[in-house]
Amino acid sequence: MNDGSATAGGAPTISQRTADRGLPFDDDHLHEECGVFGVFGHDQAAALTALGLHALQHRGQEAAGIVTFDGRQFAFERHLGLVGDSFTSAAVMERLKGNRAIGHTRYATTGGQILRNVQPLFAEFAGGGFAVAHNGNLTNAMTLQRRLQNRGSIFQSTSDTETIIHLIATSDPGPLVDRFIAALRQVEGAYALVAMSEKKMIGCRDPLGVRPLVLGKFEDAYVLASETCALEIIGAAFVRDIEPGEMVVITEDGIDSLYPFQRLRSRFCVFEYVYFARPDSNVEGRNVYEVRKRIGAELARESPAAVDLVVPVPDSGTPAAIGFSQEAGLPFELGIIRNHYVGRTFIEPSDAIRHMGVKLKHSPNKAIIEGKRIVLIDDSIVRGTTSLKIVEMMREAGAAEVHMRIASPPTTDSCFYGVDTPEKSKLIASRMTVEEMARFIKVDSLAFLSIDGLYRAVGKPGRDRTHPQFCDACFTGDYPTRLTDRQEKETVRQLSLLAEVS
Ligand code: SF4
């Protein structure tokens, strides 16, 4: 789900979205944009979905929605804010009746019309109501939207997910599942979808399986979720990952598995292991926490540091720092303490407050780091601004030397598959060498994990240059799909430049 980068008609760009958001503090990370969840066949479906979304809160914190069906009618609640703020009220939950529900949690743009983008999206077709929740991003949405608008479609939101709704609406008459498949055959990019009609719940991953989706069972009910941590919270058993290109159709009679798309090699997002997924989730058969520790161990072997202490940049650097310290035989210490109670509402997005932001969120543990040579472990560097502030904080607190090791390769390229990324020019690694970055963030030394080291940590012998086993485009620029909208934008830009010249 993207609400800007692939939108026609002057919609915000990726970088505008990030800037408009006025994101505070440690906005020097890429942000996953969505989590999806669904339950079919349980009389507490809405409550279970609210709990599932709560466990997926790390995948999007700005809005959440749930749609239910009670055998007669659909009900939906879509709210801005955290899941816990919106789906704990008895009045809200009372309205969400029925034994099936799907839900969505997301990042979003700021602005008065944001609510219309909150998912699940819902439409009434001739064949009945249909709701859909999307994690990912369509890379040809803008192109499809223009075509649909030329034929008379009127879009209600600026979400690329609505494109799927319009493609269903304009597809040939027939069963809804067939029309859904016909719609998805036209889209490009990344999608993990949970959808619901009056009789069915549907889960589907794009042919490359870029974003995760798992199947679980709770009592007699089927459950779909972005991550296994959302199964855990309700006590559901993990059944299996939905496979790349697979569509599961769940009805009162059971579950059917279809493969309606061209079969392709999986290109799962390797960044899910580095940062996005919750460490207690199992993703594609691997425990995320264990992978992150192995990443830290690889990093220690590739780029050791002569220091006294290993210090994680909390919280995302912590598992890799544990792996680094175990491999290097160095003490692991919490040299930075994170304040978990810094809320978004406290923040004014002014430069002055932004500058203070890092200190409000991270505090140096002076007693631990004073006089010590430390190596900081972080998961990634996006713009470099937060890294610089943390390094300055460590020096002010008396660290004798500050080294930094990054648990991923340099982030050189933007993501077009459902992760909020600055434009390439804003990514520090796209403009600077490692040595230049080290000078910019004022560390005594800086090193990144190699791409092969990352692949080894997830259990591969290295990156297969001919057939990469994952999507790693933000580290390599090797995008696994066409970027149709981007190419079209570039063509339009060049044509307008030519027109100016002539
Ligand atoms: Fe994941 Fe990066 Fe690929 Fe985006 S570009 S899907 S963040 S690996």
Side-chain angles (χ1 to χ4, degrees):
M1 180 278 317
N2 173 302
D3 57 5
S5 62
T7 307
T13 64
I14 296 172
S15 62
Q16 280 168 337
R17 285 186 296 139
T18 306
D20 292 349
R21 221 170 262 169
L23 282 176
F25 302 170
D26 69 341
D27 184 34
D28 206 10
H29 281 109
L30 305 185
H31 292 280
E32 182 66 77
E33 289 195 333
C34 303
V36 293
F37 191 88
V39 174
F40 188 97
H42 197 284
D43 57 9
Q44 294 293 313
L48 294 171
T49 301
L51 283 168
L53 293 180
H54 181 71
L56 297 172
Q57 191 76 86
H58 60 290
R59 298 183 76 87
Q61 292 112 46
E62 296 197 0
I66 295 177
V67 173
T68 58
F69 184 69
D70 67 0
R72 279 188 316 111
Q73 59 184 19
F74 289 88
F76 34 95
E77 291 283 337
R78 292 181 288 217
H79 297 266
L80 307 182
L82 299 174
V83 177
D85 295 339
S86 309
F87 292 100
T88 43
S89 128
V92 167
M93 297 312 291
E94 180 60 26
R95 287 194 286 273
L96 293 170
K97 293 185 170 63
N99 75 347
R100 59 200 73 167
I102 66 168
H104 187 266
T105 182
R106 74 192 289 268
Y107 270 104
T109 57
T110 54
Q113 296 179 318
I114 182 177
L115 201 51
R116 66 189 175 148
N117 284 342
V118 179
Q119 296 191 25
L121 298 183
F122 177 79
E124 282 285 358
F125 297 117
F130 190 77
V132 62
H134 175 199
N135 173 209
N137 181 47
L138 308 183
T139 52
N140 65 340
M142 190 175 78
T143 308
L144 289 170
Q145 282 174 15
R146 194 173 307 119
R147 195 187 305 156
L148 286 158
Q149 282 166 333
N150 287 341
R151 287 197 216 132
S153 293
I154 299 170
F155 280 74
Q156 303 292 317
S157 73
T158 56
S159 161
D160 63 337
T161 311
E162 195 185 342
T163 310
I164 297 171
I165 297 278
H166 286 274
L167 289 171
I168 296 170
T170 53
S171 64
D172 291 340
L176 256 175
V177 169
D178 292 352
R179 297 175 71 185
F180 191 31
I181 290 169
L184 294 179
R185 283 184 175 146
Q186 298 174 64
V187 305
E188 296 167 4
Y191 52 85
L193 298 163
V194 175
M196 186 170 69
S197 66
E198 292 178 7
K199 299 253 168 63
K200 300 178 171 80
M201 181 167 78
I202 303 167
C204 186
R205 286 176 82 192
D206 67 73
L208 295 166
V210 175
R211 303 256 74 92
L213 188 66
V214 297
L215 176 70
K217 202 86 200 282
F218 179 67
E219 299 170 0
D220 291 330
Y222 283 101
V223 183
L224 292 164
S226 291
E227 291 182 38
T228 57
C229 65
L231 302 180
E232 283 288 329
I233 196 171
I234 62 168
F238 169 73
V239 176
R240 64 179 178 86
D241 290 290
I242 304 300
E243 291 186 24
E246 182 182 8
M247 176 179 279
V248 291
V249 181
I250 298 161
T251 64
E252 301 280 6
D253 299 327
I255 183 165
D256 272 341
S257 168
L258 317 172
Y259 290 88
F261 314 113
Q262 185 191 358
R263 299 299 290 267
L264 299 173
R265 284 168 196 268
S266 169
R267 295 290 297 273
F268 183 66
C269 167
V270 78
F271 220 128
E272 291 277 353
Y273 292 111
V274 173
Y275 176 68
F276 302 135
R278 233 171 69 164
D280 54 333
S281 282
N282 294 321
V283 173
E284 302 252 305
R286 303 171 187 92
N287 176 260
V288 174
Y289 178 76
E290 291 296 334
V291 171
R292 287 184 191 162
K293 281 207 307 182
R294 289 202 295 273
I295 283 175
E298 283 286 343
L299 194 53
R301 285 191 288 273
E302 286 186 356
S303 303
V307 294
D308 305 308
L309 300 177
V310 178
V311 173
V313 177
D315 291 324
S316 49
T318 302
I322 292 171
F324 191 103
S325 91
Q326 289 176 350
E327 179 66 22
L330 289 166
F332 167 94
E333 294 287 1
L334 297 179
I336 302 171
I337 304 302
R338 181 173 166 191
N339 183 346
H340 289 266
Y341 303 101
V342 180
R344 303 181 65 77
T345 50
F346 182 61
I347 311 308
E348 290 296 326
S350 71
D351 282 351
I353 295 289
R354 273 174 203 266
H355 186 70
M356 287 169 55
V358 172
K359 282 191 173 167
L360 290 171
K361 193 154 192 175
H362 295 116
S363 304
N365 191 351
K366 277 192 188 176
I368 294 296
I369 59 180
E370 197 159 20
K372 299 288 197 315
R373 299 170 301 161
I374 64 169
V375 59
L376 295 171
I377 311 290
D378 206 350
D379 58 90
S380 57
I381 298 183
V382 180
R383 294 180 187 79
T385 45
T386 302
S387 303
L388 168 63
K389 286 175 183 151
I390 286 176
V391 171
E392 284 176 340
M393 189 193 294
M394 295 294 97
R395 292 205 192 278
E396 282 168 21
E401 290 177 22
V402 183
H403 303 261
M404 190 170 251
R405 298 291 178 266
I406 303 299
S408 59
T411 306
T412 51
D413 290 85
S414 302
C415 176
F416 295 90
Y417 303 120
V419 171
D420 185 26
T421 328
E423 283 166 3
K424 183 175 168 77
S425 62
K426 302 263 174 28
L427 297 167
I428 187 172
S430 76
R431 296 182 277 111
M432 294 187 193
T433 64
V434 175
E435 292 70 29
E436 288 167 339
M437 282 189 267
R439 279 197 290 282
F440 177 81
I441 63 175
K442 299 182 180 168
V443 282
D444 294 291
S445 75
L446 172 68
F448 291 78
L449 183 66
S450 70
I451 191 78
D452 284 320
L454 177 56
Y455 273 70
R456 282 193 296 275
V458 291
K460 303 291 181 189
R463 182 178 195 262
D464 182 333
R465 264 60 182 172
T466 316
H467 299 294
Q469 304 93 322
F470 293 95
C471 176
D472 53 20
C474 48
F475 307 126
T476 61
D478 179 5
Y479 294 95
T481 70
R482 287 192 301 187
L483 301 177
T484 301
D485 289 343
R486 191 169 83 151
Q487 282 149 7
E488 195 172 302
K489 270 186 208 160
E490 184 56 23
T491 308
V492 169
R493 194 183 70 83
Q494 285 177 357
L495 286 174
S496 60
L497 281 177
L498 278 175
E500 274 175 31
V501 171
S502 60

